[in-house]
Amino acid sequence: MPDRDAARNRSLAVPILMICIGALFLYRIWQPAFQPFAVIKVYWPLALIFIGLGKMWDSVQGAKKTRANISIGATVGVLLFVLVIVVLLWRGNAFSRDGRYDRQIDHISEVRDLQGATSLSAVITMPAGELNLSGGTSHALDGDFDYSAAWSRPSIDYHVSGTNADLDISQDNHGPTLGPDNNTWRVQLNDKVPVEVEIKMGAAQGNLKLREMNLKRLTVNMGVGQVNVDLTGDRAADADVEIHGGIGQAKIRLPKNVGVTVDAKGGIGAVTTHGLKQVDGNYVNDALGHAPHTLHVQVAGGIGNIDLSVEP
């Protein structure tokens, strides 16, 4: 009786998975640039779903099996999983004709000149991905954009009116696609003229290095993700910063030699501080009231943590 139960429960699911895993590693030895793990990392739960459905089918059908006493449902389930992974890798261009791994990432570089403008207003709208913003350019904009098939080409709208330049960067989502996804922006703004920046992020990570920028005002509205804001260094004038967080985390580095006052209110998460003291409900540094310029910061967190630290 035990032998019959063992035979009835036998399937080819595990051997097929072992063969496929071995084949992937072997192919990677031949083609070191081949990287299937990004797809497998995302879609591996499909194996549990397909195999589970197969076992349910076996149970409902009275554990039907082939003449070799092999359970049909679980075997078909793992075969479907393998087929889906192959399709995902193919659609993601993991297998290319020349043997190289290609994620079909498009790249564009954009440059806009000041054209005599003495101030800059920028609005950056990023639905998802990674935004790396900094100063460090003599142009109004110096940007590099990498994006996969899920995203449209970033739209750059720039015009100068009088002495002020207006910059608008946005992007549309084409919807979910098969295979690896990528959306990375590297945006440099002018570090000499006064700059006002408004950032709207969805499910994204923002790395905002504003140390070199002549920042006048910064507004960040984030949905799901993390924002890292570097406001350290000296300031030529007062500046206002507003950060409204959704579900995620905000890490903000603050200057030592510029006056700082922070009105921070967390949601479910906590507010942690380093190098600040609390006065009248706000967090302030030692330079407040002594330095010629002040950085006014308002942070409202949703479900997440707010981390405030003063540069050493």
Side-chain angles (χ1 to χ4, degrees), residues 181-211:
D181 192 11
N182 189 311
N183 196 39
T184 304
W185 298 1
R186 290 168 290 275
V187 178
Q188 286 184 292
L189 300 180
N190 189 276
D191 57 358
K192 299 299 182 183
V193 303
V195 177
E196 294 187 7
V197 183
E198 180 179 1
I199 298 174
K200 305 172 185 178
M201 297 189 302
Q205 175 174 327
N207 302 310
L208 315 180
K209 299 180 180 180
L210 310 178
R211 182 184 180 93

PDB file of all heavy atoms in Angstrom, residues 181-211:
ATOM      1  N   ASP A 181      12.428  45.658 -16.403  1.00  0.00           N
ATOM      2  CA  ASP A 181      11.975  47.034 -16.555  1.00  0.00           C
ATOM      3  C   ASP A 181      13.050  47.964 -16.016  1.00  0.00           C
ATOM      4  O   ASP A 181      13.771  47.629 -15.089  1.00  0.00           O
ATOM      5  CB  ASP A 181      10.659  47.217 -15.805  1.00  0.00           C
ATOM      6  CG  ASP A 181       9.988  48.539 -16.153  1.00  0.00           C
ATOM      7  OD1 ASP A 181      10.441  49.195 -17.107  1.00  0.00           O
ATOM      8  OD2 ASP A 181       9.024  48.906 -15.475  1.00  0.00           O
ATOM      9  N   ASN A 182      13.137  49.156 -16.621  1.00  0.00           N
ATOM     10  CA  ASN A 182      14.140  50.117 -16.181  1.00  0.00           C
ATOM     11  C   ASN A 182      13.668  51.505 -16.545  1.00  0.00           C
ATOM     12  O   ASN A 182      13.162  51.734 -17.638  1.00  0.00           O
ATOM     13  CB  ASN A 182      15.494  49.819 -16.843  1.00  0.00           C
ATOM     14  CG  ASN A 182      16.617  50.670 -16.244  1.00  0.00           C
ATOM     15  OD1 ASN A 182      16.502  51.876 -16.114  1.00  0.00           O
ATOM     16  ND2 ASN A 182      17.704  50.022 -15.890  1.00  0.00           N
ATOM     17  N   ASN A 183      13.830  52.424 -15.608  1.00  0.00           N
ATOM     18  CA  ASN A 183      13.517  53.822 -15.869  1.00  0.00           C
ATOM     19  C   ASN A 183      14.388  54.658 -14.941  1.00  0.00           C
ATOM     20  O   ASN A 183      14.071  54.824 -13.757  1.00  0.00           O
ATOM     21  CB  ASN A 183      12.037  54.105 -15.628  1.00  0.00           C
ATOM     22  CG  ASN A 183      11.594  55.423 -16.245  1.00  0.00           C
ATOM     23  OD1 ASN A 183      12.025  55.778 -17.332  1.00  0.00           O
ATOM     24  ND2 ASN A 183      10.731  56.156 -15.554  1.00  0.00           N
ATOM     25  N   THR A 184      15.496  55.157 -15.459  1.00  0.00           N
ATOM     26  CA  THR A 184      16.475  55.874 -14.654  1.00  0.00           C
ATOM     27  C   THR A 184      16.776  57.215 -15.305  1.00  0.00           C
ATOM     28  O   THR A 184      17.153  57.272 -16.475  1.00  0.00           O
ATOM     29  CB  THR A 184      17.777  55.068 -14.505  1.00  0.00           C
ATOM     30  OG1 THR A 184      17.484  53.783 -13.943  1.00  0.00           O
ATOM     31  CG2 THR A 184      18.754  55.794 -13.598  1.00  0.00           C
ATOM     32  N   TRP A 185      16.614  58.276 -14.518  1.00  0.00           N
ATOM     33  CA  TRP A 185      16.904  59.624 -15.005  1.00  0.00           C
ATOM     34  C   TRP A 185      18.069  60.205 -14.223  1.00  0.00           C
ATOM     35  O   TRP A 185      18.135  60.096 -12.998  1.00  0.00           O
ATOM     36  CB  TRP A 185      15.702  60.545 -14.834  1.00  0.00           C
ATOM     37  CG  TRP A 185      14.475  60.142 -15.589  1.00  0.00           C
ATOM     38  CD1 TRP A 185      14.303  59.040 -16.384  1.00  0.00           C
ATOM     39  CD2 TRP A 185      13.220  60.832 -15.600  1.00  0.00           C
ATOM     40  NE1 TRP A 185      13.048  59.010 -16.897  1.00  0.00           N
ATOM     41  CE2 TRP A 185      12.347  60.090 -16.445  1.00  0.00           C
ATOM     42  CE3 TRP A 185      12.749  61.997 -15.003  1.00  0.00           C
ATOM     43  CZ2 TRP A 185      11.027  60.487 -16.680  1.00  0.00           C
ATOM     44  CZ3 TRP A 185      11.445  62.394 -15.242  1.00  0.00           C
ATOM     45  CH2 TRP A 185      10.607  61.647 -16.071  1.00  0.00           C
ATOM     46  N   ARG A 186      18.985  60.842 -14.942  1.00  0.00           N
ATOM     47  CA  ARG A 186      20.074  61.606 -14.334  1.00  0.00           C
ATOM     48  C   ARG A 186      19.945  63.035 -14.845  1.00  0.00           C
ATOM     49  O   ARG A 186      20.257  63.316 -16.015  1.00  0.00           O
ATOM     50  CB  ARG A 186      21.422  60.985 -14.701  1.00  0.00           C
ATOM     51  CG  ARG A 186      21.671  59.637 -14.035  1.00  0.00           C
ATOM     52  CD  ARG A 186      22.863  58.906 -14.621  1.00  0.00           C
ATOM     53  NE  ARG A 186      22.566  58.452 -15.985  1.00  0.00           N
ATOM     54  CZ  ARG A 186      21.948  57.326 -16.266  1.00  0.00           C
ATOM     55  NH1 ARG A 186      21.548  56.534 -15.291  1.00  0.00           N
ATOM     56  NH2 ARG A 186      21.720  56.976 -17.517  1.00  0.00           N
ATOM     57  N   VAL A 187      19.496  63.910 -13.957  1.00  0.00           N
ATOM     58  CA  VAL A 187      19.162  65.288 -14.336  1.00  0.00           C
ATOM     59  C   VAL A 187      20.055  66.252 -13.576  1.00  0.00           C
ATOM     60  O   VAL A 187      20.096  66.240 -12.343  1.00  0.00           O
ATOM     61  CB  VAL A 187      17.679  65.594 -14.033  1.00  0.00           C
ATOM     62  CG1 VAL A 187      17.356  67.045 -14.372  1.00  0.00           C
ATOM     63  CG2 VAL A 187      16.768  64.641 -14.802  1.00  0.00           C
ATOM     64  N   GLN A 188      20.766  67.079 -14.330  1.00  0.00           N
ATOM     65  CA  GLN A 188      21.568  68.147 -13.749  1.00  0.00           C
ATOM     66  C   GLN A 188      20.953  69.488 -14.120  1.00  0.00           C
ATOM     67  O   GLN A 188      20.651  69.734 -15.296  1.00  0.00           O
ATOM     68  CB  GLN A 188      23.017  68.091 -14.260  1.00  0.00           C
ATOM     69  CG  GLN A 188      23.853  66.973 -13.667  1.00  0.00           C
ATOM     70  CD  GLN A 188      25.298  67.054 -14.157  1.00  0.00           C
ATOM     71  OE1 GLN A 188      25.573  66.836 -15.326  1.00  0.00           O
ATOM     72  NE2 GLN A 188      26.199  67.365 -13.261  1.00  0.00           N
ATOM     73  N   LEU A 189      20.782  70.347 -13.115  1.00  0.00           N
ATOM     74  CA  LEU A 189      20.278  71.693 -13.335  1.00  0.00           C
ATOM     75  C   LEU A 189      21.378  72.699 -13.044  1.00  0.00           C
ATOM     76  O   LEU A 189      22.376  72.390 -12.387  1.00  0.00           O
ATOM     77  CB  LEU A 189      19.064  71.964 -12.440  1.00  0.00           C
ATOM     78  CG  LEU A 189      17.858  71.036 -12.641  1.00  0.00           C
ATOM     79  CD1 LEU A 189      16.734  71.428 -11.688  1.00  0.00           C
ATOM     80  CD2 LEU A 189      17.376  71.051 -14.081  1.00  0.00           C
ATOM     81  N   ASN A 190      21.174  73.920 -13.529  1.00  0.00           N
ATOM     82  CA  ASN A 190      22.182  74.968 -13.362  1.00  0.00           C
ATOM     83  C   ASN A 190      22.449  75.229 -11.882  1.00  0.00           C
ATOM     84  O   ASN A 190      21.530  75.241 -11.059  1.00  0.00           O
ATOM     85  CB  ASN A 190      21.699  76.248 -14.049  1.00  0.00           C
ATOM     86  CG  ASN A 190      22.777  77.301 -14.112  1.00  0.00           C
ATOM     87  OD1 ASN A 190      22.990  78.046 -13.164  1.00  0.00           O
ATOM     88  ND2 ASN A 190      23.458  77.355 -15.244  1.00  0.00           N
ATOM     89  N   ASP A 191      23.713  75.421 -11.537  1.00  0.00           N
ATOM     90  CA  ASP A 191      24.076  75.635 -10.146  1.00  0.00           C
ATOM     91  C   ASP A 191      24.426  77.087  -9.830  1.00  0.00           C
ATOM     92  O   ASP A 191      24.936  77.379  -8.746  1.00  0.00           O
ATOM     93  CB  ASP A 191      25.244  74.720  -9.751  1.00  0.00           C
ATOM     94  CG  ASP A 191      26.461  74.936 -10.642  1.00  0.00           C
ATOM     95  OD1 ASP A 191      26.385  75.764 -11.571  1.00  0.00           O
ATOM     96  OD2 ASP A 191      27.485  74.263 -10.418  1.00  0.00           O
ATOM     97  N   LYS A 192      24.137  78.017 -10.763  1.00  0.00           N
ATOM     98  CA  LYS A 192      24.457  79.425 -10.533  1.00  0.00           C
ATOM     99  C   LYS A 192      23.203  80.267 -10.339  1.00  0.00           C
ATOM    100  O   LYS A 192      23.103  81.030  -9.384  1.00  0.00           O
ATOM    101  CB  LYS A 192      25.283  79.984 -11.706  1.00  0.00           C
ATOM    102  CG  LYS A 192      26.617  79.273 -11.917  1.00  0.00           C
ATOM    103  CD  LYS A 192      27.522  79.398 -10.709  1.00  0.00           C
ATOM    104  CE  LYS A 192      28.859  78.716 -10.956  1.00  0.00           C
ATOM    105  NZ  LYS A 192      29.736  78.761  -9.760  1.00  0.00           N
ATOM    106  N   VAL A 193      22.238  80.160 -11.245  1.00  0.00           N
ATOM    107  CA  VAL A 193      21.034  80.983 -11.147  1.00  0.00           C
ATOM    108  C   VAL A 193      20.104  80.412 -10.083  1.00  0.00           C
ATOM    109  O   VAL A 193      20.132  79.205  -9.798  1.00  0.00           O
ATOM    110  CB  VAL A 193      20.306  81.058 -12.511  1.00  0.00           C
ATOM    111  CG1 VAL A 193      21.243  81.598 -13.579  1.00  0.00           C
ATOM    112  CG2 VAL A 193      19.755  79.697 -12.913  1.00  0.00           C
ATOM    113  N   PRO A 194      19.258  81.253  -9.467  1.00  0.00           N
ATOM    114  CA  PRO A 194      18.279  80.731  -8.498  1.00  0.00           C
ATOM    115  C   PRO A 194      17.333  79.742  -9.167  1.00  0.00           C
ATOM    116  O   PRO A 194      16.853  79.977 -10.274  1.00  0.00           O
ATOM    117  CB  PRO A 194      17.545  82.001  -8.040  1.00  0.00           C
ATOM    118  CG  PRO A 194      18.495  83.115  -8.315  1.00  0.00           C
ATOM    119  CD  PRO A 194      19.238  82.725  -9.551  1.00  0.00           C
ATOM    120  N   VAL A 195      17.073  78.639  -8.478  1.00  0.00           N
ATOM    121  CA  VAL A 195      16.279  77.550  -9.052  1.00  0.00           C
ATOM    122  C   VAL A 195      15.117  77.202  -8.121  1.00  0.00           C
ATOM    123  O   VAL A 195      15.305  77.064  -6.905  1.00  0.00           O
ATOM    124  CB  VAL A 195      17.151  76.296  -9.287  1.00  0.00           C
ATOM    125  CG1 VAL A 195      16.302  75.138  -9.806  1.00  0.00           C
ATOM    126  CG2 VAL A 195      18.275  76.603 -10.261  1.00  0.00           C
ATOM    127  N   GLU A 196      13.939  77.057  -8.713  1.00  0.00           N
ATOM    128  CA  GLU A 196      12.780  76.508  -8.018  1.00  0.00           C
ATOM    129  C   GLU A 196      12.444  75.165  -8.659  1.00  0.00           C
ATOM    130  O   GLU A 196      12.319  75.085  -9.882  1.00  0.00           O
ATOM    131  CB  GLU A 196      11.575  77.455  -8.109  1.00  0.00           C
ATOM    132  CG  GLU A 196      11.778  78.774  -7.379  1.00  0.00           C
ATOM    133  CD  GLU A 196      10.511  79.613  -7.349  1.00  0.00           C
ATOM    134  OE1 GLU A 196       9.456  79.099  -7.790  1.00  0.00           O
ATOM    135  OE2 GLU A 196      10.577  80.768  -6.897  1.00  0.00           O
ATOM    136  N   VAL A 197      12.305  74.126  -7.843  1.00  0.00           N
ATOM    137  CA  VAL A 197      12.091  72.780  -8.355  1.00  0.00           C
ATOM    138  C   VAL A 197      10.858  72.176  -7.704  1.00  0.00           C
ATOM    139  O   VAL A 197      10.702  72.217  -6.478  1.00  0.00           O
ATOM    140  CB  VAL A 197      13.308  71.868  -8.089  1.00  0.00           C
ATOM    141  CG1 VAL A 197      13.080  70.495  -8.701  1.00  0.00           C
ATOM    142  CG2 VAL A 197      14.586  72.488  -8.635  1.00  0.00           C
ATOM    143  N   GLU A 198       9.983  71.605  -8.541  1.00  0.00           N
ATOM    144  CA  GLU A 198       8.852  70.826  -8.057  1.00  0.00           C
ATOM    145  C   GLU A 198       8.971  69.415  -8.621  1.00  0.00           C
ATOM    146  O   GLU A 198       9.100  69.237  -9.833  1.00  0.00           O
ATOM    147  CB  GLU A 198       7.516  71.439  -8.496  1.00  0.00           C
ATOM    148  CG  GLU A 198       6.310  70.655  -7.998  1.00  0.00           C
ATOM    149  CD  GLU A 198       4.987  71.266  -8.403  1.00  0.00           C
ATOM    150  OE1 GLU A 198       5.007  72.300  -9.101  1.00  0.00           O
ATOM    151  OE2 GLU A 198       3.940  70.703  -8.034  1.00  0.00           O
ATOM    152  N   ILE A 199       8.947  68.421  -7.734  1.00  0.00           N
ATOM    153  CA  ILE A 199       9.133  67.031  -8.134  1.00  0.00           C
ATOM    154  C   ILE A 199       7.899  66.237  -7.745  1.00  0.00           C
ATOM    155  O   ILE A 199       7.442  66.287  -6.602  1.00  0.00           O
ATOM    156  CB  ILE A 199      10.384  66.425  -7.475  1.00  0.00           C
ATOM    157  CG1 ILE A 199      11.642  67.186  -7.926  1.00  0.00           C
ATOM    158  CG2 ILE A 199      10.511  64.946  -7.810  1.00  0.00           C
ATOM    159  CD1 ILE A 199      12.901  66.749  -7.224  1.00  0.00           C
ATOM    160  N   LYS A 200       7.359  65.500  -8.715  1.00  0.00           N
ATOM    161  CA  LYS A 200       6.211  64.639  -8.482  1.00  0.00           C
ATOM    162  C   LYS A 200       6.616  63.211  -8.833  1.00  0.00           C
ATOM    163  O   LYS A 200       6.884  62.911  -9.997  1.00  0.00           O
ATOM    164  CB  LYS A 200       5.020  65.077  -9.336  1.00  0.00           C
ATOM    165  CG  LYS A 200       4.624  66.542  -9.152  1.00  0.00           C
ATOM    166  CD  LYS A 200       3.567  66.953 -10.160  1.00  0.00           C
ATOM    167  CE  LYS A 200       3.243  68.434 -10.067  1.00  0.00           C
ATOM    168  NZ  LYS A 200       2.246  68.847 -11.092  1.00  0.00           N
ATOM    169  N   MET A 201       6.679  62.344  -7.832  1.00  0.00           N
ATOM    170  CA  MET A 201       7.120  60.972  -8.042  1.00  0.00           C
ATOM    171  C   MET A 201       6.023  60.008  -7.621  1.00  0.00           C
ATOM    172  O   MET A 201       5.347  60.216  -6.620  1.00  0.00           O
ATOM    173  CB  MET A 201       8.391  60.676  -7.240  1.00  0.00           C
ATOM    174  CG  MET A 201       9.595  61.511  -7.631  1.00  0.00           C
ATOM    175  SD  MET A 201      11.115  60.913  -6.832  1.00  0.00           S
ATOM    176  CE  MET A 201      10.661  61.034  -5.105  1.00  0.00           C
ATOM    177  N   GLY A 202       5.863  58.937  -8.398  1.00  0.00           N
ATOM    178  CA  GLY A 202       4.927  57.887  -8.040  1.00  0.00           C
ATOM    179  C   GLY A 202       5.636  56.821  -7.235  1.00  0.00           C
ATOM    180  O   GLY A 202       6.105  57.052  -6.124  1.00  0.00           O
ATOM    181  N   ALA A 203       5.745  55.621  -7.798  1.00  0.00           N
ATOM    182  CA  ALA A 203       6.490  54.536  -7.157  1.00  0.00           C
ATOM    183  C   ALA A 203       7.944  54.655  -7.589  1.00  0.00           C
ATOM    184  O   ALA A 203       8.391  53.995  -8.519  1.00  0.00           O
ATOM    185  CB  ALA A 203       5.913  53.182  -7.560  1.00  0.00           C
ATOM    186  N   ALA A 204       8.679  55.516  -6.914  1.00  0.00           N
ATOM    187  CA  ALA A 204      10.016  55.848  -7.382  1.00  0.00           C
ATOM    188  C   ALA A 204      10.959  56.070  -6.207  1.00  0.00           C
ATOM    189  O   ALA A 204      10.547  56.165  -5.049  1.00  0.00           O
ATOM    190  CB  ALA A 204       9.984  57.099  -8.265  1.00  0.00           C
ATOM    191  N   GLN A 205      12.236  56.133  -6.554  1.00  0.00           N
ATOM    192  CA  GLN A 205      13.261  56.524  -5.595  1.00  0.00           C
ATOM    193  C   GLN A 205      13.908  57.801  -6.092  1.00  0.00           C
ATOM    194  O   GLN A 205      14.331  57.887  -7.249  1.00  0.00           O
ATOM    195  CB  GLN A 205      14.332  55.441  -5.427  1.00  0.00           C
ATOM    196  CG  GLN A 205      15.485  55.881  -4.512  1.00  0.00           C
ATOM    197  CD  GLN A 205      16.471  54.767  -4.232  1.00  0.00           C
ATOM    198  OE1 GLN A 205      16.091  53.610  -4.169  1.00  0.00           O
ATOM    199  NE2 GLN A 205      17.737  55.119  -4.060  1.00  0.00           N
ATOM    200  N   GLY A 206      13.975  58.785  -5.210  1.00  0.00           N
ATOM    201  CA  GLY A 206      14.582  60.054  -5.571  1.00  0.00           C
ATOM    202  C   GLY A 206      15.873  60.284  -4.824  1.00  0.00           C
ATOM    203  O   GLY A 206      15.892  60.233  -3.589  1.00  0.00           O
ATOM    204  N   ASN A 207      16.945  60.510  -5.566  1.00  0.00           N
ATOM    205  CA  ASN A 207      18.236  60.864  -4.975  1.00  0.00           C
ATOM    206  C   ASN A 207      18.527  62.310  -5.385  1.00  0.00           C
ATOM    207  O   ASN A 207      18.942  62.568  -6.512  1.00  0.00           O
ATOM    208  CB  ASN A 207      19.338  59.927  -5.476  1.00  0.00           C
ATOM    209  CG  ASN A 207      19.038  58.471  -5.161  1.00  0.00           C
ATOM    210  OD1 ASN A 207      18.725  58.123  -4.027  1.00  0.00           O
ATOM    211  ND2 ASN A 207      19.124  57.605  -6.158  1.00  0.00           N
ATOM    212  N   LEU A 208      18.283  63.232  -4.466  1.00  0.00           N
ATOM    213  CA  LEU A 208      18.351  64.648  -4.777  1.00  0.00           C
ATOM    214  C   LEU A 208      19.577  65.252  -4.089  1.00  0.00           C
ATOM    215  O   LEU A 208      19.568  65.522  -2.885  1.00  0.00           O
ATOM    216  CB  LEU A 208      17.075  65.356  -4.315  1.00  0.00           C
ATOM    217  CG  LEU A 208      15.747  64.641  -4.652  1.00  0.00           C
ATOM    218  CD1 LEU A 208      14.564  65.450  -4.145  1.00  0.00           C
ATOM    219  CD2 LEU A 208      15.631  64.371  -6.139  1.00  0.00           C
ATOM    220  N   LYS A 209      20.631  65.470  -4.879  1.00  0.00           N
ATOM    221  CA  LYS A 209      21.876  66.030  -4.351  1.00  0.00           C
ATOM    222  C   LYS A 209      21.921  67.502  -4.732  1.00  0.00           C
ATOM    223  O   LYS A 209      22.354  67.871  -5.821  1.00  0.00           O
ATOM    224  CB  LYS A 209      23.078  65.270  -4.912  1.00  0.00           C
ATOM    225  CG  LYS A 209      23.068  63.792  -4.540  1.00  0.00           C
ATOM    226  CD  LYS A 209      24.275  63.057  -5.120  1.00  0.00           C
ATOM    227  CE  LYS A 209      24.253  61.585  -4.738  1.00  0.00           C
ATOM    228  NZ  LYS A 209      25.421  60.854  -5.292  1.00  0.00           N
ATOM    229  N   LEU A 210      21.482  68.349  -3.795  1.00  0.00           N
ATOM    230  CA  LEU A 210      21.262  69.766  -4.089  1.00  0.00           C
ATOM    231  C   LEU A 210      22.314  70.660  -3.452  1.00  0.00           C
ATOM    232  O   LEU A 210      22.112  71.869  -3.328  1.00  0.00           O
ATOM    233  CB  LEU A 210      19.858  70.165  -3.608  1.00  0.00           C
ATOM    234  CG  LEU A 210      18.731  69.219  -4.076  1.00  0.00           C
ATOM    235  CD1 LEU A 210      17.398  69.676  -3.518  1.00  0.00           C
ATOM    236  CD2 LEU A 210      18.683  69.140  -5.584  1.00  0.00           C
ATOM    237  N   ARG A 211      23.429  70.088  -3.089  1.00  0.00           N
ATOM    238  CA  ARG A 211      24.474  70.846  -2.414  1.00  0.00           C
ATOM    239  C   ARG A 211      25.011  71.975  -3.281  1.00  0.00           C
ATOM    240  O   ARG A 211      25.250  73.090  -2.802  1.00  0.00           O
ATOM    241  CB  ARG A 211      25.616  69.899  -2.014  1.00  0.00           C
ATOM    242  CG  ARG A 211      26.762  70.558  -1.263  1.00  0.00           C
ATOM    243  CD  ARG A 211      27.885  69.574  -0.984  1.00  0.00           C
ATOM    244  NE  ARG A 211      28.970  70.206  -0.269  1.00  0.00           N
ATOM    245  CZ  ARG A 211      29.092  70.224   1.054  1.00  0.00           C
ATOM    246  NH1 ARG A 211      28.169  69.623   1.798  1.00  0.00           N
ATOM    247  NH2 ARG A 211      30.112  70.822   1.634  1.00  0.00           N
TER     248      ARG A 211
END
